[in-house]
Amino acid sequence: QVQLVESGGGSVQAGGSLRLSCAASGSAYSTSCMGWFRQASGQKREGVATIDSESIPTYAESVKGRFTISRDNAKNTLSLQMNNLKPEDTAMYYCAAAEDDCMTALQGLGIMTPEHLFHYWGQGTQVTVSS
């Protein structure tokens, strides 16, 4: 069982930066695939980035080169550094954890572990980017 609490959202102008954090509790954190997902108003939730237990990341095409996902297994924290933010990045951002590690076969193809494998979710933190 993993409990997740996000922080760090807010409002920023286009081109600005924000850093999201996720505090995780639960003994299985260090071996779990972790990810950030987002859901814009009226849209389906989508994957932003995932990271495996060895800190190997996978990103959605829309955020590559702008966002960086990282984890600290000693502190049970997950982070998302977001630079050069765009209005289309406006969404509720969720931290999520899977029961197992990320799917390495998909990672090798640059594909994130599917959302349905993430069973634990935080409450979300809002990110708003104005033009």
Side-chain angles (χ1 to χ4, degrees):
Q1 191 82 9
V2 179
Q3 291 80 44
L4 305 168
V5 179
E6 304 97 334
S7 61
S11 298
V12 65
Q13 289 192 324
S17 299
L18 283 173
R19 185 177 181 86
L20 305 183
S21 296
C22 175
S25 60
S27 60
Y29 170 81
S30 63
T31 60
S32 298
C33 183
M34 299 294 297
W36 287 99
F37 295 78
R38 66 187 182 187
Q39 186 169 22
S41 180
Q43 304 294 317
K44 289 180 58 178
R45 189 162 58 192
E46 63 176 2
V48 175
T50 58
I51 187 167
D52 73 5
S53 61
E54 299 298 321
S55 292
I56 297 174
T58 307
Y59 297 97
E61 285 294 329
S62 59
V63 305
K64 278 183 180 177
R66 300 188 299 122
F67 290 11
T68 302
I69 188 171
S70 61
R71 68 191 294 167
D72 186 332
N73 287 343
K75 296 182 179 179
N76 278 15
T77 57
L78 178 73
S79 299
L80 185 69
Q81 178 66 42
M82 305 185 293
N83 298 328
N84 190 22
L85 282 160
K86 304 176 180 181
E88 51 264 42
D89 295 318
T90 294
M92 185 71 79
Y93 283 70
Y94 298 91
C95 170
E99 291 278 7
D100 300 309
D101 209 346
C102 298
M103 298 179 70
T104 54
L106 293 182
Q107 282 187 176
L109 298 173
I111 300 171
M112 289 183 290
T113 296
E115 180 180 331
H116 72 271
L117 294 180
F118 289 83
H119 296 159
Y120 305 104
W121 294 83
Q123 294 298 308
T125 186
Q126 178 68 37
V127 171
T128 302
V129 185
S130 57
S131 57

